[in-house]
Amino acid sequence: MTLSEKLRAAAADIWESYLRHPFIREIADGSLPVEKFKYYMIQDYLYLYDYSRVFALGVVKGGDPETMRFFADFVYSTLNGEMNIHRFYMARLGISREEAENAKMALTNVSYTHYMLSEGQSGGIAELLVSILSCALSYEYIGRYLAGIDGAADNEFFGEWIRGYVSDEYTEGNKRLIEMTDRLGQGISRQEEDHLTEIFVNCSLYESRFWDMAYQMGDQVQSDAGI
């Protein structure tokens, strides 16, 4: 198995749970309340800025021009490609760029992005790439699942979101990420593989919590006192 295949296998149960999440199920049947999707869009918009910063670390840490260009391409495509999906919906929802960029990040969002940035800053190219990989690949995984549901990708409101994550442009980007991951995984030690697997699984868990946060429209905090 390649490194990317091992990572996917380690998080398979977590990824399967995404498809059962009410946020995804309600996108599938078109019943997700618009206010929940609006909250998600703003939080994900903010998330993508830090996601881009992790890619930018690859430019800084790249030991050769080819690696630097690889990560620079993803900084550009995220800021000017994937974020266009968000801007399309923000326009439909009446959300200005200023409103989105001045919104407060939910604690789950802050924790997730800080974890990715921490791994990217303290580790090498492999660590920062794997910290990104769960988000990039799981959105395609969810998008393909939704596109396979009759009528979901044609939904007047949510269809554009679904189609964006199964587009040729998006999936080609993921192929490049997988190829780079598998190259970096060749000849690594078991200890290094275990560490990369831990990062990937942790980020997959953060993705699950991100869907929880989006559906609840905020962080669900419980205390021993039940308050």
Side-chain angles (χ1 to χ4, degrees):
M1 294 175 70
T2 64
L3 177 58
S4 64
E5 289 170 338
K6 292 176 182 178
L7 297 176
R8 283 285 307 271
D13 290 343
I14 301 170
W15 281 35
E16 182 65 25
S17 73
Y18 302 156
L19 309 184
R20 301 191 300 270
H21 198 283
F23 193 96
I24 302 304
R25 291 203 318 266
E26 291 177 18
I27 282 184
D29 65 19
S31 66
L32 183 72
V34 172
E35 62 268 20
K36 291 183 184 289
F37 194 72
K38 179 178 179 179
Y39 181 86
Y40 158 79
M41 269 290 154
I42 291 174
Q43 289 297 316
D44 202 46
Y45 185 81
L46 296 173
Y47 167 91
L48 286 174
Y49 278 113
D50 279 343
Y51 183 76
S52 298
R53 291 183 178 100
V54 181
F55 278 122
L57 288 171
V59 179
V60 175
K61 294 192 173 195
D64 58 84
E66 182 182 356
T67 301
M68 294 174 68
R69 282 192 292 269
F70 174 88
F71 284 103
D73 286 347
F74 279 97
V75 174
Y76 181 86
S77 64
T78 301
L79 293 176
N80 299 284
E82 185 172 359
M83 291 186 84
N84 284 340
I85 300 174
H86 294 65
R87 293 176 184 128
F88 168 81
Y89 276 103
M90 285 162 57
R92 290 186 68 179
L93 292 165
I95 306 167
S96 68
R97 182 177 297 190
E98 291 74 20
E99 178 185 354
E101 293 178 353
N102 290 322
K104 183 178 179 180
M105 286 182 79
L107 185 60
T108 296
N109 201 356
V110 173
S111 179
Y112 185 7
T113 58
H114 283 204
Y115 177 76
M116 289 193 301
L117 286 164
S118 175
E119 290 296 338
Q121 289 166 345
S122 64
I125 294 293
E127 283 79 8
L128 71 87
L129 183 58
V130 168
S131 73
I132 287 165
L133 202 63
S134 180
C135 177
L137 300 189
S138 68
Y139 268 72
E140 181 181 346
Y141 174 77
I142 291 168
R144 290 193 182 282
Y145 166 76
L146 291 171
I149 296 174
D150 188 37
D154 297 322
N155 180 277
E156 183 179 356
F157 189 78
F158 299 116
E160 183 75 16
W161 186 85
I162 296 169
R163 294 191 297 272
Y165 291 110
V166 295
S167 67
D168 290 343
E169 180 181 9
Y170 189 80
T171 58
E172 182 58 36
N174 278 349
K175 289 177 184 176
R176 294 180 66 203
L177 292 175
I178 290 170
E179 288 170 359
M180 174 69 85
T181 300
D182 291 339
R183 282 202 301 272
L184 293 172
Q186 292 175 359
I188 63 173
S189 68
R190 180 59 184 270
Q191 183 177 9
E192 291 171 319
E193 183 181 309
D194 288 346
H195 179 54
L196 294 175
T197 300
E198 179 183 25
I199 294 171
F200 187 82
V201 169
N202 285 343
C203 288
S204 295
L205 288 169
Y206 268 122
E207 284 292 319
S208 182
R209 286 165 173 73
F210 200 99
W211 294 121
D212 291 341
M213 174 206 70
Y215 195 73
Q216 296 158 1
M217 295 180 64
D219 296 295
Q220 193 101 16
V221 180
Q222 296 178 340
S223 70
D224 293 338
I227 297 174

